[in-house]
Every structure is written in C-alpha cells, then in structure tokens.
Amino acid sequence: MVTGPAGEEEKDPAAGRYGRDLFTPTHPLEADRIDYGAQAYDPWTRSRLRALGVGPGWRCLDVGAGTGTVARWLLDEAHVDEVVALDQDTRHLAPLAGPRLHPRTADLRDPGLDPGTFDLVHARFVLMHLPERRHLLSRLANWLAPGGWLVVSDAVEVPNALDSSSAYRRTMDAMWQALNDTIGTDIASVPSYPRFLREEGLTDVAADLYCPPLTPGAAVTAFWLETWQRLRGALETTGRVDAETVDQALAYLSSPDLAELPPGMLTAWGRRR
C-alpha cells in the first residue's frame, strides 16, 4: 500500500483495472449490465444536473461515459453545446459521435485534456475503482472553467447492522472484497468526497445519497444479478461465500420476499470560483 493525498491509502497503481481484469467490454452482456445501472441511477443524476443549471452554452465532460446515456441526455434534453465522452473503451459511444458529441478513448490518468476547459465535469462510479482516486479527483477539478461544476458519484454501503450473516449480505461483502483484491476498488473514502471538493478550493459544495428501491424485476436488481453472476468465481475465492450461498443470494434477488436496502449512490458537487 502507498499513501495518497489527504492520507488516503491506495493500492499499487500496477494493480488490475476495471474493464481489463473485470467486466471486459467485449462480454456479450456488458452493455446490458451497464444499462441496467443507468436505468436505476440516470433519473437521479439528471435531476441533480438540472438543479445545477446545466443547459445551452455549456461544454461538458462525461468521464466513464459507458453506453452514453448521460451524454445523450445532456445533448438531447439539456441542450448543452458540447459533450466530450471519455472512456477507456468507446465502442458503444462511437456510433453517437457527431458535431456536438466527441468520444475520447483514453485512460483518466492521461486523457490529454486542457485545464480550465469545461462547465461541467461529471464522473459516476469511476473513481472508486481507481487506486489513484484522490489524485484523480484533483485532476477532474483542474479541468473546470471558472464557474464550472464538478459532480462525482460513487457507491456507499448502508448495511443492516442487525443482519450480517444473510446470503445477500455475505455475497455483497464478498463482492466488495473481490473487487478490492482484483482492481483496488475501495468505497471507504466516498463519504469524504465533499471534504475533498472543499480541499480543491471548490465552493457551494454539497452532497446527497440515493438508494433505488431493490425490488424483483427492477433495473437495479437486474444490475446486481448480472454483476454477481459474472463475478461468481471471484466471489467464492474471497473465502467469504461458497457456491450455495451465492445461489441463495441470486434466488433472493428474484424472490417476492426480497427486502433489502442496496448500496446507495453518493453524489457530491462543487463549483470552481
């Protein structure tokens, strides 16, 4: 382990990567899995961006743009002037390219973007998967034009303290451990995002937390079903769960008895002076 800014412990940058060591873009169901997450969280993201005033005249950067659902909304409904859609794999973004939408295939560590460029920098479920997350948040803030907004969202857990041994809880915990072991995912510092934004000199800093209803057939439930199915081998190698426990957890997600609070999405935002 190494120590990053603000004393944050970070894994060796040589650790695995999302999209390379887990959740490869070439998997036939990866776009569907991404879209399940988008269906669950896009409405909340859109409401936050609307509240910040996103609209005509804005130049936006969407980091980890995925299949482009946020980028398309920014153009088609918020009517911004331009969106740069950054992702390390832009196969789902390339067909959307046009005069106002510019896919950029790049790693966030070296994207070749100029500082002080964007009125909005948005990153959702990106930083938590990157060992250099605190340093990269500084980079995101540096790309803001005066008056521009940085909006970052990542996962936080809100577990039931009265039930730490259910198949659902054990499988969810095993997933976070498998992600940490493989690619360095760490959500422990996510509640500190508002403080990090203040440290970057941003103003009007605030945050909220959204947990979509976890019900059978819901998009967020389908997201976790597909995620756990894809990670089965990695889940079991953590030593926290066995195959029977994973089977029970998957069946529970499809059961009318399902009654859980899923991981939430913490969104923090701040404005460049």
Side-chain angles (χ1 to χ4, degrees), residues 217-218 220-230 249-251 253-254:
V220 69
T221 313
F223 173 83
W224 288 118
L225 277 166
E226 180 59 27
T227 298
W228 288 355
Q229 287 168 343
R230 295 269 299 279
L250 291 170
L253 287 179
S254 301

Side-chain angles (χ1 to χ4, degrees), residues 121-215:
V121 175
H122 170 255
R124 187 176 71 187
F125 301 135
V126 174
L127 294 179
M128 67 189 212
H129 294 302
L130 300 173
E132 317 94 322
R133 61 190 65 88
R134 181 62 186 89
H135 169 71
L136 293 174
L137 192 146
S138 296
R139 175 168 292 174
L140 296 179
N142 191 47
W143 289 329
L144 291 174
W149 288 95
L150 174 58
V151 180
V152 290
S153 300
D154 267 328
V156 292
E157 272 287 8
V158 280
N160 178 2
L162 301 180
D163 182 10
S164 60
S165 60
S166 68
Y168 170 86
R169 183 73 262 155
R170 291 172 60 199
T171 301
M172 186 68 78
D173 289 346
M175 180 205 69
W176 292 121
Q177 187 63 56
L179 291 174
N180 182 268
D181 291 346
T182 308
I183 60 176
T185 299
D186 186 358
I187 61 174
S189 64
V190 175
S192 297
Y193 283 6
R195 176 168 65 87
F196 294 160
L197 296 186
R198 289 195 300 271
E199 290 174 354
E200 294 304 320
L202 304 187
T203 64
D204 301 314
V205 172
D208 61 25
L209 176 63
Y210 173 61
C211 292
L214 190 67
T215 56

Side-chain angles (χ1 to χ4, degrees), residues 242-265:
D242 54 21
E244 182 180 0
T245 300
V246 177
D247 286 339
Q248 291 173 356
L250 291 170
Y252 182 49
L253 287 179
S254 301
S255 166
D257 296 327
L258 179 63
E260 301 288 344
L261 193 62
M265 178 178 74

Side-chain angles (χ1 to χ4, degrees), residues 65-90:
T67 58
T69 59
V70 172
R72 291 198 306 268
W73 177 83
L74 286 168
L75 291 171
D76 298 341
E77 297 189 41
H79 306 293
V80 303
D81 283 12
E82 181 184 6
V83 177
V84 175
L86 178 70
D87 207 300
Q88 60 185 353
D89 188 294
T90 55

